[in-house]
Amino acid sequence: MPGQRKRKRQREAAGRRSATNGPGRWEAVFETLDAAELRDFLRRLSTGADPVDLSTVRIDMACGRAPTPAFYRVCLFVPDPT
């Protein structure tokens, strides 16, 4: 099946990320309907005054149909206080 190897690598990478992040939660910090606006936000996150490690960023994309357009949500991993 085409793309199966890519999906497997993505699942493995996600497992490694969650194992290295430890206990915590994902908090939504940004939502948009525009892909260009998403790229701009990610650029500002990685190069701003307080840069964020992009391995702690998750991008969710919900595909919409005719009445509801697709949207993008950016979530940051927040570790639990110990």
Side-chain angles (χ1 to χ4, degrees), residues 34 40 52 65:
D34 185 21
D40 184 47
V52 174
R65 295 207 176 159

Side-chain angles (χ1 to χ4, degrees), residues 39-56:
R39 287 190 302 270
D40 184 47
F41 179 77
L42 291 174
R43 188 176 313 113
R44 283 184 282 145
L45 260 183
S46 63
T47 62
D50 190 20
V52 174
D53 180 21
L54 292 181
S55 67
T56 62

Side-chain angles (χ1 to χ4, degrees), residues 1-7:
M1 174 179 270
Q4 187 171 6
R5 183 178 301 162
K6 179 181 177 184
R7 286 190 300 273

Side-chain angles (χ1 to χ4, degrees), residues 3 5 7 12 17-18 30-31 37-38 42 44 53 58 71-72 74 76 78-79 82:
R5 183 178 301 162
R7 286 190 300 273
E12 290 171 350
R17 277 195 308 268
S18 65
F30 182 73
E31 288 186 10
E37 197 174 340
L38 172 70
L42 291 174
R44 283 184 282 145
D53 180 21
R58 184 181 77 189
F71 73 92
Y72 304 94
V74 178
L76 290 176
V78 179
T82 55

Side-chain angles (χ1 to χ4, degrees), residues 61-75:
M61 182 181 143
C63 296
R65 295 207 176 159
T68 56
F71 73 92
Y72 304 94
R73 178 182 297 141
V74 178
C75 300

